[in-house]
Amino acid sequence: MAGMQGKVVAVTGAARGLGASLARQLTERGARVALLGLEPGELDAVSASCPGSRWWEVDVTNSAALNDVAQELAEHFGRLDALVVNAGVACGGPFLHSDAAAFDRTIEINLLGSVRTLRAFLPALVASKGYALQIASLAALAPAPGMAAYCASKSGVEAFAECVRTEVAWHGVDIGIAYLSWTDTDMVRGADEHPDMRDARQNLPGVLGKTYPVEPTVHALCDGIERRCAHVYGQRWVRNVRPIRGLITGLLHFGAKRRVKGAEDLYIAEGPAAGALVGAGGRADTDRRTSKVA
């Protein structure tokens, strides 16, 4: 992208966490950012720290709303050079006892939300011969018990992005996939509030169970955007997982067999709160849907 100076970059899930940090670092590199998210107050605060930015409140599962934002963004900025498909939520626990609404909503936001976001903004990227970065996860490479909804959604977006990458390459559009391990965001901290999820992470071997700081992770993602990389790794060691993903998955499942009953007991003991979407972002989505019903 010949550097980020003057480039227009849209970031979903920009109200907090990874998305907010991405917006700030992209701005520092000279980009003009469009911030998309659910929390007006948080979006306004992020926008205030990103000169030249503008924000839109939008639910990534709402195709009509996304199309409206895509049109308004084009009118405001005049173009779109890059898109970061970052919005996501998570829930945990054993599928047998999972909260069906939270489970389905995780897949709807993470997978279908990514599909609908790219569908809305892809024409603008074709016009600019731009770049899209799909935020996936280490969970796509090494799905772990107790995270079925999140792992399924992130495996889905990985496959989706791989397919579309080839389809749009002749248009001059590049699509990348970002793989991150546990990163110190509201989502991960929210997951650690639940005993079963915290126990599952802490029992992962070596680097797989560590939580990593946001800023170096975001720096790696910004480098990937600037270079239009096909695969971007939030932590350097994650690139080594891709060639041995089958082996890692087998080891995770072998180790988890000794812990699944205890994890299930923790989940049941915590009660209904255990099945909710985790973190402040998850609560924002739940509150928004609850208020609409009311």
Side-chain angles (χ1 to χ4, degrees):
M1 297 181 72
M4 300 304 299
Q5 192 65 42
K7 302 294 185 182
V8 177
V9 185
V11 181
T12 67
R16 60 176 65 249
L18 193 75
S21 294
L22 270 168
R24 294 187 180 104
Q25 281 206 27
L26 288 166
T27 299
E28 290 172 3
R29 295 184 184 214
R32 294 182 293 161
V33 294
L35 311 169
L36 282 61
L38 287 181
E39 301 167 85
E42 297 293 335
L43 288 166
D44 194 54
V46 176
S47 183
S49 66
C50 298
S53 67
R54 180 175 168 181
W55 62 267
W56 283 266
E57 181 184 0
V58 64
D59 181 343
V60 296
T61 65
N62 187 329
S63 295
L66 283 167
N67 290 336
D68 289 343
V69 171
Q71 182 176 343
E72 292 175 19
L73 187 153
E75 293 170 354
H76 179 79
F77 289 104
R79 62 185 291 118
L80 178 65
D81 298 291
L83 170 69
V84 183
V85 187
N86 167 69
V89 296
C91 65
F95 176 68
L96 177 63
H97 302 286
S98 63
D99 180 290
F103 194 101
D104 292 358
R105 186 62 176 166
T106 298
I107 293 175
E108 183 179 20
I109 292 175
N110 296 2
L111 177 53
L112 296 181
S114 294
V115 171
R116 292 166 186 167
T117 298
L118 188 58
R119 179 178 286 121
F121 290 98
L122 188 55
L125 295 178
V126 170
S128 67
K129 299 187 184 303
Y131 174 78
L133 181 65
Q134 171 66 62
I135 304 297
S137 170
L138 178 64
L141 302 175
M147 298 175 57
Y150 189 75
C151 292
S153 67
K154 291 302 184 179
S155 296
V157 297
E158 179 194 35
F160 168 67
E162 290 283 10
C163 292
V164 179
R165 170 193 292 135
T166 304
E167 296 175 12
V168 299
W170 75 274
H171 288 286
V173 176
D174 293 318
I175 294 181
I177 305 168
Y179 301 93
L180 287 68
S181 186
W182 305 90
T183 304
D184 188 21
T185 63
D186 292 313
M187 181 189 294
V188 171
R189 289 192 294 272
D192 277 348
E193 293 173 1
H194 299 275
D196 61 306
M197 298 179 72
R198 182 176 64 248
D199 182 70
R201 181 182 64 79
Q202 292 175 347
N203 277 283
L204 292 171
V207 294
L208 294 175
K210 291 179 62 178
T211 299
Y212 296 86
V214 171
E215 293 307 314
T217 301
V218 170
H219 183 83
L221 298 183
C222 288
D223 283 350
I225 295 167
E226 193 163 344
R227 298 169 185 167
R228 299 171 65 111
C229 293
H231 298 99
V232 184
Y233 302 94
Q235 296 79 29
R236 290 183 180 180
W237 62 267
V238 177
R239 72 174 61 246
N240 299 320
V241 176
R242 287 188 72 233
I244 57 170
R245 60 198 302 173
L247 174 62
I248 294 294
T249 299
L251 291 173
L252 286 175
H253 285 256
F254 178 78
K257 284 182 178 179
R258 297 172 296 174
R259 297 186 286 102
V260 289
K261 184 184 184 303
E264 186 170 299
D265 291 341
L266 282 172
Y267 182 89
I268 293 171
E270 189 178 355
L277 298 179
V278 302
R283 287 191 292 272
D285 180 75
T286 301
D287 291 344
R288 179 188 178 93
R289 289 183 291 117
T290 302
S291 64
K292 283 187 175 181
V293 172

